[in-house]
Amino acid sequence: MVKIGAWNIRGLNDPLKQKEVRSIIFSNEFSLMGVVETEVRFPNIQATVTNCFPKDWLWTDNFTNGPVARILLGWDKEVFSVHLEFNSEQMLVVKVELCQGNKSFLLSVVYGHNSIIDRRVLWQDLRAVHQSHLNSAWVQMGDFNTVRLSSSWV
């Protein structure tokens, strides 16, 4: 069975948090892992990725869209072939193909802005991705920083 996961780490610059990500990958036997709210600056990205992901994994980030990488995505290259489709400050979209079997799906790893106004771009981007991939299976994971329905607990 192939397993994928996502985690909002709230900062990934601490080596202990990097070790936690690595531990979660191994203990859950993940083949692909999205990490959001990483706040990793460019000079630290290679060391951070080396500490987080297994040595034979490949990875991508959304660093080109802001002062820090907010999203990291790592995968086992023996299990998946991953191709970047879209990259923004709030979302990475990749096409994921299983190396064994002829299966693929679209994957979005999201870290939405805290501000409602700033998140509007995320909703526009999601609609655009949907329109351009109408017939694709689509997995969305991460932290949208929004609540769909609210209720009060008594």
Side-chain angles (χ1 to χ4, degrees), residues 5-6 19-20 31 36 48 93 99-100 114 124:
K19 186 176 178 181
E20 282 184 73
S31 301
V36 300
T48 300
V93 180
C99 293
Q100 300 294 320
N114 293 323
Q124 292 168 353

Coordinates of all heavy atoms in Angstrom, one line a residue, residues 5-6 19-20 31 36 48 93 99-100 114 124:
G5 N 1.3 11.7 3.2 CA 0.9 12.5 4.4 C 1.2 13.9 4.3 O 1.9 14.4 3.3
A6 N 0.7 14.7 5.2 CA 0.9 16.2 5.2 C 0.9 16.6 6.7 O 0.3 16.0 7.5 CB -0.1 16.9 4.5
K19 N 13.9 16.3 12.5 CA 14.0 14.9 13.0 C 12.6 14.3 13.2 O 12.4 13.2 12.8 CB 14.8 14.8 14.3 CG 15.1 13.4 14.7 CD 16.0 13.4 16.0 CE 16.2 12.0 16.5 NZ 17.0 12.0 17.7
E20 N 11.7 15.1 13.7 CA 10.3 14.7 13.8 C 9.7 14.3 12.5 O 9.0 13.3 12.3 CB 9.5 15.8 14.5 CG 9.6 15.8 16.0 CD 8.7 16.8 16.6 OE1 7.5 16.6 16.7 OE2 9.2 17.9 17.0
S31 N 5.4 7.3 1.5 CA 6.1 7.4 0.2 C 6.2 8.8 -0.3 O 6.9 9.1 -1.3 CB 5.5 6.4 -0.8 OG 5.5 5.1 -0.3
V36 N 4.0 21.9 5.4 CA 3.6 23.3 5.2 C 3.9 24.1 6.4 O 4.2 23.6 7.5 CB 2.1 23.4 4.9 CG1 1.8 22.6 3.6 CG2 1.2 23.0 6.0
T48 N 18.0 21.5 5.3 CA 16.7 21.1 5.9 C 16.1 19.9 5.3 O 15.7 18.9 5.9 CB 15.7 22.3 5.8 OG1 16.2 23.4 6.5 CG2 14.3 21.9 6.4
V93 N 1.1 22.3 -7.0 CA 0.3 21.3 -7.6 C 1.2 20.5 -8.5 O 2.0 21.0 -9.3 CB -0.8 22.0 -8.5 CG1 -1.6 20.9 -9.2 CG2 -1.7 22.9 -7.7
C99 N 5.1 4.5 -10.1 CA 6.1 3.9 -11.0 C 5.7 2.5 -11.4 O 6.0 2.0 -12.4 CB 7.4 3.8 -10.3 SG 8.2 5.5 -10.0
Q100 N 4.9 1.8 -10.5 CA 4.4 0.4 -10.7 C 2.9 0.6 -11.0 O 2.2 1.1 -10.2 CB 4.6 -0.5 -9.6 CG 6.0 -0.7 -9.2 CD 6.8 -1.4 -10.3 OE1 6.3 -2.4 -10.8 NE2 8.0 -1.0 -10.5
N114 N -3.3 33.5 6.2 CA -4.2 33.7 7.4 C -5.3 34.8 7.0 O -6.4 34.7 7.5 CB -3.4 34.2 8.6 CG -2.5 33.1 9.1 OD1 -2.8 32.0 9.1 ND2 -1.3 33.5 9.6
Q124 N -8.9 31.3 -6.3 CA -8.8 31.5 -7.7 C -7.9 30.5 -8.4 O -8.3 29.9 -9.4 CB -8.3 32.9 -8.1 CG -9.3 34.0 -7.7 CD -8.7 35.4 -7.8 OE1 -7.5 35.6 -8.0 NE2 -9.5 36.4 -7.6

